[in-house]
Amino acid sequence: MLGNILKKILGDPGARELSRMQGLVTEINAREPEMQALSDEALQEQAAHFRQQVQGVAATLTAEIRDLQGRLDREPDEDERRTLRQEIADLKDQQDRDEREVLDAILPRAFAAAREASVRTTGMRPFDEQLIGGIVLHRNIIAEMKTGEGKTLVATLPLYLAALTGRGAHLVTPNDYLSKYGVQWMGPIYHLLGLTVAVIQSQGQDPRMSSFIYDPDYAAADDRYHHLRPCSRAEAYAADITYGTNHEFGFDYLRDNMVQDISQCVQRELYYAIVDEVDNILIDEARTPLIISGEAQESADYYRVFAEIVGRLTEDDDYTVDEKRTSVTITEQGIIKVERALNVSNLYDEANYQLTPYLENALKARALFALDRDYVVSETGEVIIVDGFTGRLMYGRRYSEGLHQAIEAKEGVKVQRESLTLATITFQNYFRMYRRLAGMTGTAETEAEEFRTIYDLDVMVIPTHKPVIREDHPDVVYKSAEAKYQAALKDIEERHHSGQPVLVGTLAIETSEMIAARLRRMRIPHEVLNAKQHEREAQIIAQAGQPGAVTIATNMAGRGVDILLGGNAEGLARDRLRRQGIDLEAVAPEVWQETLAACEAQVRADREKVLAAGGLHVLGTERYEARRIDNQLRGRAGRQGDPGSSRFYVSLEDDLMLRFGGPTVARLMERLGADQDVPIEHNMVTKAISSAQMRVEGHNFDMRKHLLEYDDVVNQQRQVIYEQRRLILTEADLRPVAYDILLEEIEGWVEQHTQGYEEDWRLEELHQQVDRMVHLPVEHTPDAWLGRSRDQITADIAEHARATYDDRERELTPEMMRQVERSLMLRAIDRHWVTHLTNLDELREGIGLRAVGQRNPLVEYKREAFDEFGDLLQEIRSEVASMLLNVRLARPEPRPAVRVLPTSSGGQSGSAEPMHHAKIGRNAPCPCGSGKKYKQCCLAENLTPEEALAKGIKEGRVQRAPAARR
């Protein structure tokens, strides 16, 4: 209320800012004739001139930063590293300011050039509101633009501007399809402007088809990859602009910090990113951290045992479900039944404590997770999670802490091995690492406070190009779900027969399939879009605006494909040619143009029919837990001034109403005497639904804040560990670092064994320990240290350690010793870091109980995590010191070549599975990926098949397939 009063007095600051931007829009429009007069070559030359301007102003600073970064990578002293980090941060801030000044100055001409390139290549001319959206994104602000306002085109403007810095620009999308399609659609614009654009895709299905660069001259064998030339991951990130999903950007960051050689890193500086569907990615998905996991011990048979036991329990009698907190609790009666089934006297006895997690997960799998809603089971027997926000299948993703195994046991499929966390980060902490961040979506204003608090991002609402004339009907509420569905089906039937297209939104796959089955009985043709129809979703949505079309969508959030009234002419033309058996990559231009013209004529006629019928109608079968998602579904209708309508059907049996507010509305309906099939429209009902959604939104916001507070603790430790790894990977000579670690350990050993008076010193034990580590001469005895001070003893041990070090280096050669040092340090860091992450997970699980003792769990977690991190660093140093002079190298026998295969689980990240070995014939393709025969390539260089494969991986032609699950 106070905000509304201040707005009336002071005016809307957003409106004032938009008014100021109008001057820039006018200047961009004034440049249009100038750009129209330029040839294609002149446009590219202008882009090169812009690039020189931007990069020239910060060339000196860039060189200084590169030099300091090199020193930081090589500097072992933590105090000096802290100083270098601050110097680099200050220089980067200055670099950003200098570059922004130039970018702001050339913005009108750059935007005018990008608009002209769009007109020439795609036929689309960004209108004034889209220019404003581009300016907002350039200023690192979230642009709220309604569905259909052309956000994909808008993003090309600030991306072009940011790419001129040469520091890379990323467009982050919610799914692989939008990333790939965005590059194919917008690629001609960037290419005409002289920029390179690439796309990264999930590595789950086929790692060789996970990175592409736009090349208008490349003819792909599969028309889905039209103009996309396969490239290495590093090449994709080296492009001026890179498109990809939030998951792939985040996992590539984690994978880069798990490599064993610096040449295996693919990402570069995280400079500028535009996040599409920003509310979906940075808010909805922020509750789940990114985790790269490896396989731990074999899965226990207990998962199947407890799945069978829990399957015999009954709800309410043996366990209760708390709908509001979505948790399940076993009753006393249930515990007795479980104890009898297991033949134990006390399930919670100390001897049986390891059984309780299996019971808890089995109960969750049975009571809280439903097939075809939360997950599906593939034909191969794999349990695949369904994204609750987009309805998509999340290949390679697994629930953690044994829950996924419990679901597998419940469904009677193979129980996979349990997982071990290797690396993890939240989306909040990943995206906060970008120097510049912006976002765009159709619904962000309601979450403005969270964006500002967590990401330091403001939100600006961009006016629509044409007024929205969609009619949003009030909700109708029924007592039972059956009555609700009957009314919804009747509405669908009436609108279908009138020629009006209908988009039906559902929350669960089972609901969409139930409605589809009823529509089949009613002989109403329809399309179903859910997680099981992932391959066809774009084509289904593109044609959902045809006359009388009925499209059932599990969830519309993040779909990213416009519904055009009358249909999509290009999609219809492609589909028509495919049905005729014509290869789209080899189709004759005249055949394509003729087919496209016919489809365009059909679409124009159909569009008139749909307009006369009232435009697209959106019918929601249930309210989502966030108002924002409901608004996204509504926003599918009435795009760019088109007519349209929407209505939600609600019942008291819906999950949201059961969890919040259902009893209140039920009592109201009883007082009004409403029958089962009579809907109710009342202010109290609307308020109850809104109140329920607001409570869920608040609960989810608390969860995200809670997650971030705990991850901030890990994030500080993660930065230290990753900096240490980078130091090891980039330093050419690690001997000084390794020797310093050895000396620190020696000093610690001496200190430990020389406590108290001199006669109490344990020199015999010290001598044994030192001898095991640094191999003292045979004639050396503890008596040599009698009468000496601590410093003298330390100096004597250090002298012998140096001599042993020199002997080892001569034995192995200096080059091999450097490799040994690097390998030992990386192995020690990685092994202990994984253990540390596991310990922190366990600490966090039980830390909430500290509140019972009137202690803040977060403060306790920070304190204990700090102590454990100190122990971690000490353990790493101890392992390196103990192994440094004791490692023995085994000379491996030559083995058959390693054939790199995609993983069966579709995992996008993690450690590699055991490789499959196969003999390589002389005439077989060379394992290095050159495309030549083995005898004409690496065999001529006397390289074994394994060495050839290693060469291909190092040079980026072959990618090792990761196998561990997330």
Side-chain angles (χ1 to χ4, degrees):
M1 183 181 294
L2 179 60
N4 292 333
I5 295 173
L6 290 174
K7 268 188 182 179
K8 290 179 181 178
I9 299 174
L10 304 175
D12 186 352
R16 291 200 303 270
E17 188 62 29
L18 288 173
S19 178
R20 283 195 289 268
M21 290 182 189
Q22 195 59 48
L24 272 176
V25 172
T26 302
E27 189 175 350
I28 294 168
N29 290 332
R31 299 276 184 179
E32 190 165 23
E34 175 189 343
M35 298 302 159
Q36 290 172 339
L38 296 177
S39 64
D40 290 355
E41 293 74 17
L43 276 177
Q44 290 193 5
E45 290 174 4
Q46 180 174 248
H49 176 65
F50 287 155
R51 195 190 294 263
Q52 289 176 355
Q53 277 186 270
V54 177
Q55 297 182 20
V57 73
T60 303
L61 285 174
T62 303
E64 288 184 41
I65 292 171
R66 190 181 301 115
D67 178 62
L68 286 175
Q69 186 65 53
R71 288 173 54 192
L72 176 63
D73 289 342
R74 298 185 300 271
E75 178 57 57
D77 183 73
E78 185 54 39
D79 290 334
E80 186 62 26
R81 289 174 64 83
R82 192 177 298 110
T83 303
L84 288 171
R85 278 196 294 267
Q86 186 59 52
E87 290 182 31
I88 291 172
D90 293 341
L91 287 177
K92 283 190 173 182
D93 289 341
Q94 184 60 48
Q95 180 187 28
D96 290 345
R97 288 192 294 270
D98 292 348
E99 286 178 345
R100 286 295 298 277
E101 286 181 14
V102 180
L103 292 176
D104 290 342
I106 66 174
L107 184 147
R109 294 182 64 200
F111 274 30
R115 176 159 71 178
E116 180 59 26
S118 175
V119 172
R120 295 185 191 183
T121 56
T122 67
M124 296 183 292
R125 178 184 179 276
F127 37 79
D128 288 359
E129 290 79 7
Q130 289 176 310
L131 295 178
I132 292 175
I135 296 169
V136 167
L137 293 174
H138 168 66
R139 294 183 176 179
N140 309 334
I141 299 173
I142 293 174
E144 181 181 294
M145 302 180 71
K146 301 300 181 187
T147 301
E149 289 296 300
K151 293 188 285 291
T152 304
L153 182 60
V154 168
T156 61
L157 303 171
L159 285 173
Y160 168 51
L161 203 56
L164 297 173
T165 63
R167 300 168 69 180
H170 296 166
L171 183 90
V172 186
T173 68
N175 60 71
D176 281 335
Y177 171 77
L178 292 180
S179 301
K180 177 171 67 70
Y181 182 70
V183 169
Q184 292 172 311
W185 190 14
M186 300 292 109
I189 300 176
Y190 301 124
H191 186 263
L192 180 57
L193 292 168
L195 300 180
T196 56
V197 58
V199 58
I200 57 171
Q201 300 275 278
S202 165
Q203 296 188 28
Q205 301 292 324
D206 185 352
R208 294 167 299 180
M209 301 293 284
S210 65
S211 308
F212 304 88
I213 198 158
Y214 178 80
D215 184 349
D217 299 323
Y218 180 78
D222 186 339
D223 67 270
R224 293 176 303 171
Y225 296 93
H226 191 58
H227 296 325
L228 295 181
R229 172 171 55 82
C231 65
S232 69
R233 203 73 159 186
E235 187 180 355
Y237 277 108
D240 294 312
I241 298 167
T242 306
Y243 282 55
T245 67
N246 51 321
H247 293 97
E248 288 309 304
F249 282 120
F251 280 119
D252 280 340
Y253 168 76
L254 293 177
R255 284 189 283 255
D256 271 2
N257 287 286
M258 297 171 65
V259 299
Q260 299 300 306
D261 190 281
I262 194 66
S263 63
Q264 296 170 342
C265 292
V266 296
Q267 284 191 342
R268 50 177 173 156
E269 177 189 19
L270 301 178
Y271 170 59
Y272 179 66
I274 296 175
V275 183
D276 191 14
E277 301 294 348
V278 65
D279 56 326
N280 175 225
I281 291 175
L282 296 190
I283 292 183
D284 295 333
E285 293 199 19
R287 284 185 288 176
T288 306
L290 293 172
I291 299 174
I292 291 181
S293 57
E295 292 182 337
Q297 72 273 18
E298 290 285 352
S299 294
D301 292 335
Y302 285 124
Y303 286 114
R304 294 196 183 282
V305 172
F306 277 91
E308 183 181 349
I309 293 172
V310 168
R312 299 197 295 266
L313 303 182
T314 57
E315 188 174 346
D316 295 332
D317 294 332
D318 301 323
Y319 63 87
T320 58
V321 177
D322 185 337
E323 297 285 355
K324 291 189 178 183
R325 292 200 303 272
T326 63
S327 62
V328 58
T329 306
I330 191 166
T331 64
E332 286 294 332
Q333 179 177 317
I335 292 173
I336 293 172
K337 287 185 178 181
V338 173
E339 289 173 342
R340 286 175 181 170
L342 293 173
N343 195 25
V344 298
S345 59
N346 184 357
L347 180 62
Y348 294 96
D349 187 80
E350 186 176 353
N352 303 317
Y353 76 95
Q354 79 277 8
L355 300 178
T356 53
Y358 294 103
L359 174 61
E360 291 169 1
N361 280 321
L363 282 170
K364 288 179 183 177
R366 174 178 172 82
L368 304 180
F369 290 82
L371 178 67
D372 288 342
R373 184 191 71 190
D374 302 298
Y375 62 90
V376 298
V377 178
S378 69
E379 295 178 357
T380 58
E382 182 182 359
V383 172
I384 304 172
I385 300 173
V386 175
D387 188 334
F389 303 106
T390 65
R392 299 174 187 275
L393 296 183
M394 303 172 73
Y395 290 100
R397 301 286 296 279
R398 293 178 63 83
Y399 294 116
S400 59
E401 299 173 1
L403 178 58
H404 209 97
Q405 285 82 0
I407 294 174
E408 289 168 334
K410 166 192 168 185
E411 297 297 336
V413 300
K414 180 181 178 183
V415 179
Q416 304 292 331
R417 293 175 69 177
E418 297 181 28
S419 60
L420 188 70
T421 299
L422 302 181
T424 179
I425 193 172
T426 59
F427 283 125
Q428 291 106 319
N429 275 319
Y430 174 72
F431 282 104
R432 290 195 301 186
M433 288 192 293
Y434 278 88
R435 302 290 300 176
R436 297 174 56 200
L437 185 64
M440 52 188 187
T441 183
T443 47
E445 192 177 22
T446 56
E447 313 294 339
E449 180 183 355
E450 184 168 350
F451 283 124
R452 192 175 300 111
T453 302
I454 294 178
Y455 301 100
D456 195 24
L457 288 172
D458 290 323
V459 176
M460 185 167 291
V461 180
I462 310 300
T464 57
H465 184 52
K466 296 179 180 178
V468 177
I469 61 173
R470 180 186 67 245
E471 184 177 1
D472 295 325
H473 299 289
D475 296 355
V476 287
V477 182
Y478 291 82
K479 274 189 174 181
S480 68
E482 178 58 31
K484 175 188 72 172
Y485 289 128
Q486 288 180 2
L489 288 166
K490 183 179 179 181
D491 191 5
I492 294 170
E493 183 179 31
E494 291 175 354
R495 294 180 187 276
H496 168 70
H497 290 313
S498 71
Q500 184 176 17
V502 181
L503 176 66
V504 183
T506 66
L507 264 67
I509 299 173
E510 57 185 347
T511 305
S512 67
E513 293 184 343
M514 179 271 291
I515 292 175
R518 293 194 178 192
L519 289 176
R520 280 194 296 273
R521 291 198 293 269
M522 297 167 67
R523 300 185 184 280
I524 296 177
H526 59 277
E527 290 280 7
V528 181
L529 175 63
N530 58 34
K532 295 183 177 180
Q533 298 287 328
H534 179 70
E535 294 294 331
R536 296 181 56 227
E537 71 172 36
Q539 294 90 330
I540 293 174
I541 280 297
Q543 309 308 334
Q546 292 180 320
V550 177
T551 306
I552 305 170
T554 305
N555 189 314
M556 292 306 302
R559 293 294 180 183
V561 180
D562 285 342
I563 300 176
L564 305 177
L565 298 188
N568 183 295
E570 185 174 340
L572 287 173
R574 287 177 175 273
D575 189 50
R576 183 176 298 182
L577 290 173
R578 284 196 187 100
R579 287 201 303 270
Q580 295 174 8
I582 298 175
D583 184 358
L584 295 179
E585 288 297 319
V587 64
E590 58 273 12
V591 174
W592 168 253
Q593 291 300 329
E594 181 183 350
T595 307
L596 182 61
C599 291
E600 287 175 341
Q602 176 188 334
V603 166
R604 283 194 295 271
D606 287 346
R607 176 177 169 79
E608 294 303 319
K609 294 178 185 177
V610 173
L611 289 173
L616 176 69
H617 178 71
V618 170
L619 187 151
T621 60
E622 193 171 342
R623 279 284 195 170
Y624 197 72
E625 64 180 26
R627 294 166 296 170
R628 185 168 32 82
I629 309 298
D630 289 341
N631 292 337
Q632 288 177 2
L633 178 59
R634 272 204 177 105
R636 292 290 167 179
R639 62 180 295 278
Q640 293 194 6
D642 288 340
S645 56
S646 70
R647 184 189 291 278
F648 281 87
Y649 286 78
V650 182
S651 85
L652 298 184
E653 296 176 358
D654 293 346
D655 286 344
L656 183 70
M657 298 302 291
L658 287 173
R659 290 167 63 186
F660 300 102
T664 304
V665 179
R667 286 193 297 270
L668 175 65
M669 296 186 76
E670 290 293 339
R671 285 201 300 270
L672 296 176
D675 294 331
Q676 292 286 337
D677 57 349
V678 176
I680 181 173
E681 295 181 26
H682 194 281
N683 286 338
M684 189 174 178
V685 176
T686 305
K687 288 179 181 178
I689 294 173
S690 294
S691 174
Q693 290 177 313
M694 290 173 67
R695 290 168 70 182
V696 176
E697 289 167 0
H699 175 67
N700 290 341
F701 181 35
D702 289 341
M703 286 178 61
R704 291 188 292 269
K705 283 174 60 181
H706 191 65
L707 174 70
L708 183 61
E709 287 171 345
Y710 281 88
D711 191 65
D712 278 342
V713 179
V714 184
N715 193 52
Q716 296 170 6
Q717 299 178 1
R718 178 170 44 238
Q719 289 174 351
V720 173
I721 290 296
Y722 287 175
E723 279 190 3
Q724 290 294 324
R725 286 191 101 261
R726 189 168 186 87
L727 167 65
I728 294 167
L729 289 170
T730 55
E731 179 57 62
D733 184 4
L734 285 169
R735 172 161 178 164
V737 178
Y739 188 69
D740 284 346
I741 292 175
L742 187 57
L743 285 183
E744 285 183 20
E745 281 299 294
I746 290 172
E747 291 171 358
W749 299 335
V750 174
E751 180 70 24
Q752 179 183 351
H753 290 84
T754 56
Q755 297 291 324
Y757 295 105
E758 188 171 339
E759 56 268 21
D760 296 328
W761 290 2
R762 294 174 286 129
L763 298 181
E764 184 73 33
E765 291 180 20
L766 175 61
H767 191 274
Q768 292 176 0
Q769 185 167 6
V770 171
D771 189 37
R772 285 196 299 268
M773 300 302 175
V774 301
H775 307 293
L776 295 169
V778 178
E779 64 276 9
H780 195 285
T781 65
D783 294 341
W785 294 333
L786 291 174
R788 294 194 178 190
S789 67
R790 289 192 186 93
D791 291 342
Q792 289 172 327
I793 294 173
T794 301
D796 180 63
I797 298 174
E799 182 180 344
H800 289 294
R802 185 181 297 278
T804 305
Y805 209 129
D806 292 338
D807 291 341
R808 290 289 292 159
E809 191 163 307
R810 283 191 294 271
E811 176 189 347
L812 296 176
T813 73
E815 293 77 12
M816 182 59 70
M817 193 63 187
R818 300 294 85 78
Q819 293 183 30
V820 168
E821 292 160 352
R822 180 171 286 107
S823 177
L824 280 177
M825 291 182 190
L826 289 176
R827 189 179 70 171
I829 288 176
D830 292 344
R831 193 167 72 83
H832 289 287
W833 176 242
V834 168
T835 304
H836 181 67
L837 289 176
T838 303
N839 292 340
L840 290 184
D841 284 342
E842 294 174 354
L843 172 64
R844 185 172 165 186
E845 283 180 19
I847 203 71
L849 297 175
R850 305 288 179 89
V852 177
Q854 304 300 311
R855 288 184 289 178
N856 187 320
L858 181 60
V859 173
E860 292 291 301
Y861 179 78
K862 288 180 177 179
R863 181 181 60 77
E864 294 201 18
F866 178 80
D867 292 341
E868 289 199 16
F869 188 64
D871 295 340
L872 162 72
L873 297 178
Q874 180 57 45
E875 288 166 0
I876 292 172
R877 288 193 294 266
S878 296
E879 179 170 323
V880 172
S882 63
M883 294 295 294
L884 190 60
L885 301 180
N886 288 279
V887 67
R888 291 291 180 266
L889 301 184
R891 302 292 181 183
E893 294 294 325
R895 295 187 300 172
V898 176
R899 182 159 55 96
V900 177
L901 296 175
T903 67
S904 59
S905 64
Q908 298 176 355
S909 55
S911 58
E913 287 183 337
M915 297 298 183
H916 301 264
H917 302 292
K919 292 183 179 179
I920 299 296
R922 291 166 56 84
N923 293 315
C926 186
C928 77
S930 65
K932 300 178 183 179
K933 292 182 179 180
Y934 178 41
K935 68 180 182 181
Q936 296 171 343
C937 189
C938 289
L939 184 59
E941 301 175 21
N942 293 321
L943 296 181
T944 66
E946 280 190 341
E947 291 169 337
L949 179 64
K951 175 183 176 183
I953 293 173
K954 184 174 182 180
E955 295 179 359
R957 290 193 298 270
V958 179
Q959 288 190 349
R960 189 181 298 278
R965 300 180 300 279
R966 298 187 203 124

